[in-house]
């Protein structure tokens, strides 16, 4: 039998209070950093702390900038034309006023871009991409095509927006070439859509949800909560059919002590 050896430590007298151990939050911080890194990996590279890659139509709303495949910003000019800037400049600095646009979603599938000069980007009859419109019409609407973190814009003339060798922006390509692929970035913070009360309730356990409804609406007798003893199978079926609230109301209506139901 092995000899027992007492573990050395400070002697605590009776009545003395031992100091509470401080909880380490290192693990929590590490997990938060890992989650942020994973989110950035999914959403794409974040530049200049605020400008993140747009991968979905919902993120087109608000301040955006357009970057060509060479890493150059697409800038608006005072004559209404759009040109490609210096290659690689987007990695060195955030966009300036001429390189920043306001993105809008039109319906469920189309987008519109408004330059810093207050004009909407559109395709002309000759295929030039210009910004001279004060309102959104058919020519100001673009069909965005997202793939692998990049975006292509199809104009109303059924041609794709491209950067020509001269650096000018045109809408003449019949197919999505490398010059027709852009990176769209937004400075709008990414947030998760909060669940509505209905969505939260549909995710709860039925027994807990019914108890919450009873506590919320039922008048108590002798300080006891009265819940129907009927099977909750009907609630399961009602939830699948989208009639959970109606079923809960019917069950509460049958309880005589419920003052809110007939």
């Amino acid at each position: 039998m092995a000899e027992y050896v007492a573990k050395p430590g400070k002697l605590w007298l009776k009545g003395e209070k031992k100091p509470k151990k401080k909880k380490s939050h290192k693990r929590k911080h590490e997990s938060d950093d890992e989650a942020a890194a994973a989110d950035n990996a999914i959403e794409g590279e974040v530049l200049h702390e605020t400008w993140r890659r747009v991968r979905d139509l919902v993120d087109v709303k608000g301040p955006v900038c357009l970057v060509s495949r060479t890493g150059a910003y697409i800038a608006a000019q005072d004559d209404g034309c759009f040109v490609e800037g210096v290659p690689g400049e987007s990695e060195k600095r955030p966009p300036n006023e001429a390189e920043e646009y306001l993105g809008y979603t039109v319906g469920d599938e189309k987008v519109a871009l408004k330059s810093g000069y207050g004009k909407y980007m559109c395709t002309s009859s000759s295929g030039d991409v210009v910004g001279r419109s004060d309102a959104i019409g058919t020519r100001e609407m673009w069909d965005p095509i997202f793939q692998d973190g990049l975006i292509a814009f199809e104009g109303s003339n059924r041609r794709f927006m491209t950067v020509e060798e001269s650096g000018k922006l045109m809408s003449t390509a019949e197919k999505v070439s490398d010059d027709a692929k852009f990176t769209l970035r937004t400075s709008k913070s990414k947030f998760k859509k909060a669940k509505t009360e209905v969505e939260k309730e549909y995710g709860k356990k039925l027994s807990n949800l019914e108890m919450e409804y009873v506590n919320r609406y039922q008048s108590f007798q002798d300080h006891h909560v009265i819940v129907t003893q009927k099977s909750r199978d009907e609630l399961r079926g009602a939830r699948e059919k989208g009639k959970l609230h109606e079923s809960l109301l019917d069950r509460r209506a049958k309880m005589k002590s419920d003052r809110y139901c007939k």
Side-chain angles (χ1 to χ4, degrees):
M1 182 176 179
E3 184 179 356
Y4 173 76
V5 179
K7 185 177 180 180
K10 183 177 178 180
L11 178 65
W12 294 97
L13 300 178
K14 187 176 181 181
E16 282 188 49
K17 293 184 178 181
K18 294 184 179 181
K20 294 182 179 180
K21 293 182 179 180
K22 294 183 178 180
K23 294 183 179 180
S24 174
H25 298 285
K26 184 178 180 182
R27 185 178 299 275
K28 181 181 183 300
H29 292 162
E30 287 178 350
S31 61
D32 290 344
D33 293 339
E34 291 174 0
D39 186 61
N40 288 344
I42 293 174
E43 289 301 315
E45 185 180 359
V46 177
L47 293 181
H48 317 300
E49 298 182 357
T50 56
W51 290 90
R52 60 182 179 84
R53 191 186 296 262
V54 172
R55 292 178 178 268
D56 193 83
L57 182 65
V58 68
D59 284 333
V60 178
K61 297 179 181 179
V64 296
C65 65
L66 200 57
V67 180
S68 69
R69 67 182 182 89
T70 64
Y73 287 116
I74 302 298
Q77 296 183 315
D78 55 4
D79 62 355
C81 295
F82 297 91
V83 295
E84 181 184 34
V86 180
E89 192 72 8
S90 63
E91 298 179 2
K92 301 176 182 178
R93 60 169 179 81
N96 56 37
E97 292 182 3
E99 298 158 347
E100 190 172 330
Y101 306 87
L102 274 179
Y104 298 88
T105 55
V106 185
D108 297 328
E109 299 178 351
K110 298 182 183 295
V111 300
L113 299 176
K114 188 177 185 180
S115 73
Y117 293 98
K119 305 294 183 179
Y120 290 96
M121 181 184 289
C122 69
T123 177
S124 67
S125 56
S126 60
D128 294 304
V129 176
V130 295
R132 297 167 185 158
S133 303
D134 295 318
I136 299 176
T138 303
R139 291 185 176 183
E140 289 71 34
M141 297 180 190
W142 299 86
D143 283 313
I145 300 174
F146 295 92
Q147 185 176 9
D148 300 329
L150 300 176
I151 185 173
F153 294 93
E154 185 179 10
S156 59
N157 60 351
R158 299 306 177 196
R159 296 292 184 269
F160 292 95
M161 183 192 299
T162 59
V163 178
E164 300 296 304
E165 292 184 3
S166 61
K168 189 177 180 180
L169 214 59
M170 300 286 290
S171 179
T172 54
E174 296 182 359
K175 296 181 180 180
V176 181
S177 62
D178 290 338
D179 291 326
K181 296 176 182 177
F182 298 88
T183 299
L184 190 66
R185 295 189 180 277
T186 177
S187 61
K188 185 178 67 174
S189 300
K190 178 176 170 52
F191 62 92
K192 293 182 178 179
K193 182 182 177 182
K195 288 186 177 181
T196 63
E197 289 299 321
V198 174
E199 290 173 332
K200 290 179 181 179
E201 289 178 350
Y202 269 71
K204 292 181 180 179
K205 191 177 179 181
L206 288 175
S207 57
N208 295 339
L209 182 58
E210 187 168 28
M211 182 62 72
E212 287 181 12
Y213 263 67
V214 170
N215 284 325
R216 189 185 307 172
Y217 297 110
Q218 181 173 288
S219 60
F220 301 105
Q221 291 181 349
D222 302 327
H223 302 285
H224 292 291
V225 178
I226 303 175
V227 182
T228 179
Q229 300 300 313
K230 291 183 62 177
S231 172
R232 294 191 179 91
D233 290 340
E234 60 178 323
L235 290 181
R236 296 186 185 92
R239 178 155 62 181
E240 293 176 359
K241 297 178 181 178
K243 298 182 179 181
L244 180 58
H245 282 192
E246 296 178 18
S247 183
L248 285 169
L249 181 63
D250 291 339
R251 288 167 69 91
R252 289 191 295 107
K254 295 174 183 177
M255 305 302 296
K256 293 182 180 179
S257 59
D258 193 340
R259 62 184 177 182
Y260 290 90
C261 298
K262 296 181 180 180

